[in-house]
Amino acid sequence: ATPGKRGGSVGKLAPYRDFLLARVKEKQDITMPELAAALKAQTGIEAAPASLSRFLLRNGFRLKKRP
């Protein structure tokens, strides 16, 4: 038996990539709970703030707090 393919899953947030990235660019200091609420209100999809954070990291966003 050979092992199955690992990793490489697209994830449930991939279809909403444009929506999520547009929200972050629109409001750069948006919190993950606010982003989750916007996603649910617009699409009905529930996502945990941690999932959204990982999604944004995979898409080139980094945490940068400014005073």
Side-chain angles (χ1 to χ4, degrees):
T2 59
K5 184 178 177 183
R6 294 184 62 173
S9 67
V10 175
K12 74 176 186 178
L13 296 176
Y16 308 102
R17 182 180 187 274
D18 293 336
F19 170 78
L20 292 169
L21 297 182
R23 287 283 185 206
V24 172
K25 288 179 182 177
E26 180 180 297
K27 183 179 178 191
Q28 293 182 359
D29 62 343
I30 193 167
T31 64
M32 294 303 109
E34 289 173 340
L35 189 57
L39 180 65
K40 184 174 181 180
Q42 185 72 24
T43 64
I45 299 297
E46 290 188 34
S51 296
L52 292 168
S53 179
R54 287 189 300 268
F55 173 82
L56 292 175
L57 287 172
R58 282 193 305 268
N59 283 277
F61 287 87
R62 299 288 181 250
L63 175 66
K64 293 189 179 195
K65 290 193 172 195
R66 293 186 175 90

